[in-house]
Amino acid sequence: RPKGANNSQQQRYNLLRKLSERGKQLVLLTATPHSGQAEEFQSILGLLKPEFESYELQTPKEREELSHYFIQRRRADIIHYLGGETVFPKRVQLENNEYDFAPEYRELLSDIIEYIKNGVSQMTTADKRKHRYLYWDLLALMRGVMSSPASGISMLQNKISKGVDTSADGDSEEVTRVFVFNDQLKDMLNADDVVPEAYETVSLADKSKFRSFIKTLEHIRETDSDNKVKAALEYVKFALDSGMNPIVFCQYIQTAEYVGAYISEHLKTNKKTKKVVVDTITSRLSDEERKMKIDELAANERHVLVCTDCLSEGVNLQTGFDAVIHYDLPWNPNRMEQRNGRIDRFGQTSAEVLISTMHSSNNPVDDIVLNVLYKKQEEIKKKLGVYLPIADNDASLMEAIMERLLKSSAQPRQLEFNFADDEEFQAQFEKERELQIKRLEDSEKISHTYFAHNTKQMDPTRLNASLQEARQVIGGVEDTCDFVVQELMHVNVNVRKDAELCYSFLRTELPANHQHYFPSSGNTVKISFASPTPRGYTYIGRNHTFVEDLSRGVVNDSVNGGELAACRAMVLETADVLKKTTVLLMRVRSVIKDRKNPDRQLVGEEMIFVGYRGNIENHEYLSQEECQKLFLDAKASGNVEAVAQKQIFDRSTQWINDEQTLRLHTDAIALERAQHLVEAYSQYRTYLTAAEYQVVEPVLPMDVIAAYVFIPKI
């Protein structure tokens, strides 16, 4: 709940609040829990427990109580759990990202800054709120002109048409989408990509001045005098030459469309890049349309995406892109990190991602944003190893710096402002910056101590045995891969291994009722069981609908007969055994009851092997590992006549047809598995203080799913 927001502004928050008040069990997952505003963070905590909303987390008691409800994980923690394995790319910052505004553009910016200075100095309104609107209205104009000729023209047209019948004015053809200024920082710090509506009407003299500004911008565009877009083209070419597919982030819709058209046109004229596909995505498109466009673009071997901040949050772009070019500098460092996070995240298959931050060497605003706000953010990153959100008082800091810029005595034509010359301001700023970094650093250290849960109680080595056992029960990556590949080959699909855990086959070779899982323009289907997934491959995990459907098909065909049927009964002569060995695949189910509340129950189910040498009465059992090795690896060493197979199989498995005999030899195994379940839950309780599920009753007898008899080679 943003600070100062009313109920109508935050419907999602109110929905969660109502759900939490009904006693629902909530698990809230987010990559960015803290916006920098303490009140906003506390409002989230209040969803978990109402009293948490008043906690400022300044005392050990408050932090200790919250630690039972809040877990914080950083990349460093994940890498620690993975034993140092690198699953995140290395971020490479491209040096020398500077460009110079051409003289005509510099002159225009000088005129704009002079206009804004005069406007600020003439503000006389007593309404502080209106005063701030007017102030940020002027700064937005400057930002729009600095972004691109296209956005500058659109913003100036908005100001000309404010309060005028645009149909009669003749200056505004389709004055594109605008939003109403309802927050003085909305355009400056948030992800909106539409140019802001002008706050107030302007005089006829100002309108005449704006028309001259528009004429200059149009001339800059027509004469190809925009060095900024030229520089962006060179950075895009550099990324493409480095084998990367870049994203160019712009502030406004008009800028993105202008940049996208420019890059596309000039790449087509170059023999090396004429086949590169360029597309532009802004908030003109719906979420679903954006996703479709991204997928279509990423399907091309070489591609460039030009977009606005409508794609800076909640979108995974790491599978198709590995470079980010910041065409416009956001006035909020958090927005910059959100952009970088689209490609610098888990699932990125490139070892390195490229970050290019464009800025003008003769633009004082870029200089301030880059050297003041971003320098501080990088300083925090170096000290703590994580990016932290900059608090709202940085907006005030930015405002103070801009006021210094606009009220400075520097000649406007010089387009220079060095706040280091102002010793009083410099000292004040440095003091404030150091204090904030110290506060953030101390807070992060305390938070990580309490909320990372990196204690002996959560030692991953203790969890590893449980995780491995769970993997054996439900199947790991290799199991999923083996199952899918073998079943496809079983139905005569020509599966080719491209790399470790990566395969390809022709879609038309699949059974007709499975082809819809891989809709594509081409006939070749590429699948990967690895995560992160290589570019161009579809990830197939055990929960993928294709795997689930294939599994159901195997079960159904095994019972009813069909091309996917699996072997449930077998006699195999093999050199892998010296004595007749029987392996049963069995299902064991256990009902787990809460000791304090017997009506609260869970059902545990697992598939296990029961293997033995000779006759079952000898109880010469095999371990699970021995059974699995035989099941997966045993090779036939000779043929056994069908009649002999049936006789051997019947003699070896006759005992399982009598329930009393079956229970005599297998109930103890079921009870042992039930006891193991109790031990597993006992260990689980030490992690999460779970309810005491200590009453476990196996469902007897166990179910025999399949039987395999291995006889030695004679």
Side-chain angles (χ1 to χ4, degrees):
R1 184 185 64 237
K3 184 179 179 180
N6 58 44
N7 288 342
S8 64
Q9 286 176 290
Q10 287 300 321
Q11 296 182 24
R12 286 182 299 176
Y13 173 81
N14 290 316
L15 172 62
L16 282 174
R17 167 66 74 185
K18 290 175 182 177
L19 287 173
S20 66
E21 289 172 351
R22 293 180 183 179
K24 301 294 183 184
Q25 307 300 315
L26 295 180
V27 178
L28 306 178
L29 302 176
T30 176
T32 51
H34 209 304
S35 64
Q37 281 281 9
E39 296 92 332
E40 296 179 4
F41 179 58
Q42 287 168 225
S43 74
I44 297 177
L45 299 182
L47 296 172
L48 302 174
K49 209 173 183 182
E51 53 264 39
F52 287 168
E53 190 159 341
S54 62
Y55 281 17
E56 296 182 0
L57 304 181
Q58 299 300 315
T59 67
K61 182 180 178 182
E62 289 180 346
R63 290 191 290 266
E64 171 62 28
E65 186 172 355
L66 179 60
S67 69
H68 297 289
Y69 299 82
F70 181 65
I71 296 174
Q72 176 188 1
R73 282 280 185 267
R74 307 177 306 168
R75 285 194 181 187
D77 304 311
I78 303 301
I79 292 173
H80 169 70
Y81 277 105
L82 294 172
E85 180 186 351
T86 301
V87 293
F88 299 105
K90 178 183 178 183
R91 188 182 296 188
V92 178
Q93 296 278 355
L94 183 63
E95 301 296 332
N96 190 22
N97 298 267
E98 288 187 348
Y99 63 91
D100 290 328
F101 277 113
E104 188 177 15
Y105 218 140
R106 289 183 62 192
E107 287 289 318
L108 176 63
L109 288 178
S110 295
D111 291 338
I112 293 287
I113 290 179
E114 185 64 19
Y115 171 81
I116 292 171
K117 282 184 179 182
N118 292 334
V120 171
S121 65
Q122 293 172 13
M123 285 182 186
T124 57
T125 176
D127 184 344
K128 290 185 178 180
R129 189 164 179 263
K130 184 178 179 181
H131 191 281
R132 287 177 63 80
Y133 279 160
L134 293 172
Y135 177 77
W136 285 99
D137 189 23
L138 290 170
L139 291 187
L141 172 61
M142 180 174 65
R143 192 181 190 197
V145 174
M146 289 190 306
S147 176
S148 71
S151 62
I153 290 171
S154 181
M155 204 168 286
L156 288 164
Q157 285 175 336
N158 285 346
K159 293 188 73 65
I160 291 173
S161 61
K162 176 67 178 178
V164 178
D165 182 3
T166 57
S167 62
D169 193 65
D171 281 289
S172 68
E173 52 243 28
E174 185 222 352
V175 178
T176 48
R177 299 169 50 211
V178 296
F179 65 76
V180 177
F181 248 100
N182 60 8
D183 185 327
Q184 67 272 18
L185 299 183
K186 186 176 180 66
D187 175 53
M188 304 300 154
L189 303 180
N190 290 350
D192 299 288
D193 60 4
V194 291
V195 295
E197 181 180 358
Y199 182 75
E200 65 167 3
T201 57
V202 293
S203 66
L204 291 175
D206 282 344
K207 288 185 180 182
S208 177
K209 187 185 295 288
F210 291 159
R211 289 187 179 97
S212 71
F213 290 163
I214 290 174
K215 189 174 181 180
T216 301
L217 288 169
E218 288 175 340
H219 184 261
I220 289 170
R221 184 164 58 180
E222 290 167 1
T223 58
D224 196 16
S225 301
D226 183 2
N227 290 344
K228 183 179 180 182
V229 75
K230 290 179 181 178
L233 176 63
E234 293 307 311
Y235 299 140
V236 167
K237 288 180 179 178
F238 176 83
L240 291 170
D241 289 343
S242 302
M244 294 180 166
N245 296 301
I247 306 171
V248 182
F249 273 104
C250 305
Q251 173 65 30
Y252 299 111
I253 292 174
Q254 291 82 356
T255 300
E257 293 173 344
Y258 161 75
V259 172
Y262 187 92
I263 291 175
S264 178
E265 178 186 348
H266 285 77
L267 289 182
K268 287 178 181 177
T269 61
N270 189 312
K271 186 180 291 186
K272 288 174 59 180
T273 58
K274 66 179 181 180
K275 292 186 177 180
V276 174
V277 181
V278 182
D279 210 341
T280 302
I281 295 178
T282 68
S283 65
R284 292 189 194 276
L285 301 175
S286 67
D287 288 344
E288 205 51 45
E289 289 172 322
R290 294 175 206 170
K291 185 178 184 304
M292 288 174 60
K293 263 206 164 189
I294 291 168
D295 291 342
E296 290 172 3
L297 180 62
N300 296 283
E301 185 177 352
R302 303 179 74 198
H303 48 273
V304 178
L305 171 63
V306 181
C307 65
T308 61
D309 281 318
C310 70
L311 294 184
S312 66
E313 290 183 326
V315 181
N316 292 329
L317 300 175
Q318 72 273 22
T319 57
F321 305 90
D322 42 17
V324 163
I325 298 170
H326 299 284
Y327 189 81
D328 290 317
L329 284 176
W331 285 11
N332 183 345
N334 304 332
R335 179 63 48 202
M336 174 81 83
E337 189 54 30
Q338 289 283 3
R339 291 176 176 182
N340 294 337
R342 296 314 93 211
I343 63 169
D344 184 7
R345 62 196 298 116
F346 180 80
Q348 175 59 256
T349 55
S350 297
E352 295 180 342
V353 292
L354 181 70
I355 308 296
S356 173
T357 305
M358 293 179 58
H359 59 278
S360 171
S361 58
N362 56 358
N363 182 347
V365 181
D366 273 6
D367 184 63
I368 290 171
V369 173
L370 191 69
N371 293 313
V372 177
L373 293 183
Y374 289 107
K375 182 179 178 183
K376 178 161 60 174
Q377 185 80 328
E378 285 299 319
E379 205 167 328
I380 296 170
K381 170 66 167 61
K382 289 177 182 177
K383 282 195 173 186
L384 302 182
V386 292
Y387 283 93
L388 295 179
I390 300 298
D392 184 62
N393 59 3
D394 272 297
S396 301
L397 177 62
M398 186 67 196
E399 187 174 299
I401 294 171
M402 294 306 296
E403 284 179 355
R404 288 280 172 159
L405 167 66
L406 297 176
K407 295 177 181 179
S408 67
S409 58
Q411 293 298 315
R413 296 291 169 199
Q414 295 177 345
L415 269 180
E416 293 175 355
F417 173 69
N418 186 359
F419 68 90
D421 292 339
D422 188 334
E423 294 182 3
E424 180 184 349
F425 178 71
Q426 171 74 356
Q428 179 184 352
F429 168 72
E430 289 294 339
K431 182 179 179 181
E432 169 63 25
R433 183 172 67 173
E434 289 303 319
L435 284 174
Q436 189 180 38
I437 290 176
K438 186 69 168 63
R439 286 195 299 269
L440 284 168
E441 186 176 5
D442 292 344
S443 176
E444 173 64 14
K445 286 179 179 177
I446 292 172
S447 295
H448 197 249
T449 299
Y450 277 89
F451 306 131
H453 297 270
N454 287 335
T455 63
K456 290 183 178 179
Q457 187 178 12
M458 291 294 286
D459 185 348
T461 57
R462 294 184 62 214
L463 286 168
N464 194 53
S466 298
L467 292 172
Q468 284 297 114
E469 187 173 10
R471 190 174 289 113
Q472 289 177 358
V473 171
I474 66 175
V477 174
E478 290 78 10
D479 298 308
T480 305
C481 176
D482 289 343
F483 167 72
V484 172
V485 171
Q486 289 183 24
E487 282 303 319
L488 290 179
M489 294 174 67
H490 183 59
V491 293
N492 299 317
V493 175
N494 183 26
V495 182
R496 297 177 297 279
K497 184 173 183 179
D498 301 332
E500 191 66 27
L501 298 176
C502 295
Y503 298 83
S504 59
F505 52 87
L506 297 179
R507 181 172 176 268
T508 50
E509 292 184 353
L510 281 173
N513 58 337
H514 287 84
Q515 292 183 11
H516 69 279
Y517 287 109
F518 305 102
S520 62
S521 55
N523 190 29
T524 300
V525 175
K526 294 183 175 182
I527 61 174
S528 173
F529 301 90
S531 182
T533 305
R535 186 169 297 160
Y537 285 80
T538 300
Y539 174 69
I540 301 292
R542 63 179 299 274
N543 290 328
H544 194 285
T545 51
F546 172 66
V547 178
E548 292 180 350
D549 197 12
L550 196 61
S551 301
R552 281 193 294 268
V554 170
V555 172
N556 291 336
D557 286 4
S558 297
V559 174
N560 303 313
E563 62 178 351
L564 290 174
C567 171
R568 298 182 64 202
M570 178 190 74
V571 173
L572 180 73
E573 180 186 288
T574 177
D576 293 304
V577 298
L578 300 176
K579 185 178 183 180
K580 186 185 75 171
T581 302
T582 305
V583 174
L584 305 177
L585 182 63
M586 307 192 77
R587 179 175 64 177
V588 54
R589 289 181 291 175
S590 298
V591 178
I592 312 155
K593 297 180 181 178
D594 189 333
R595 180 180 292 278
K596 296 179 181 178
N597 182 8
D599 292 333
R600 187 171 180 229
Q601 299 179 352
L602 297 174
V603 176
E605 178 176 304
E606 62 179 321
M607 302 288 283
I608 64 171
F609 286 116
V610 175
Y612 58 92
R613 297 182 182 90
N615 296 323
I616 184 65
E617 291 79 12
N618 300 332
H619 287 186
E620 191 180 341
Y621 291 113
L622 278 67
S623 66
Q624 289 292 307
E625 292 74 17
E626 289 174 311
C627 290
Q628 183 169 327
K629 184 171 177 56
L630 269 180
F631 180 78
L632 294 176
D633 301 335
K635 306 295 183 195
S637 58
N639 292 324
V640 181
E641 294 293 334
V643 174
Q645 285 190 53
K646 190 175 188 312
Q647 292 174 346
I648 295 171
F649 185 85
D650 289 344
R651 287 198 303 269
S652 301
T653 60
Q654 186 176 8
W655 63 276
I656 67 176
N657 296 318
D658 180 75
E659 182 176 330
Q660 185 175 355
T661 306
L662 176 65
R663 294 192 58 178
L664 175 67
H665 295 296
T666 61
D667 277 8
I669 297 172
L671 290 168
E672 186 273 331
R673 297 307 300 171
Q675 181 58 35
H676 179 75
L677 208 54
V678 171
E679 293 170 359
Y681 269 90
S682 298
Q683 185 182 39
Y684 179 71
R685 288 200 311 277
T686 67
Y687 302 138
L688 296 181
T689 321
E692 294 189 3
Y693 289 101
Q694 289 187 341
V695 179
V696 182
E697 297 177 355
V699 178
L700 301 173
M702 289 195 294
D703 300 318
V704 180
I705 304 300
Y708 309 101
V709 181
F710 302 88
I711 58 175
K713 179 177 174 60
I714 300 173

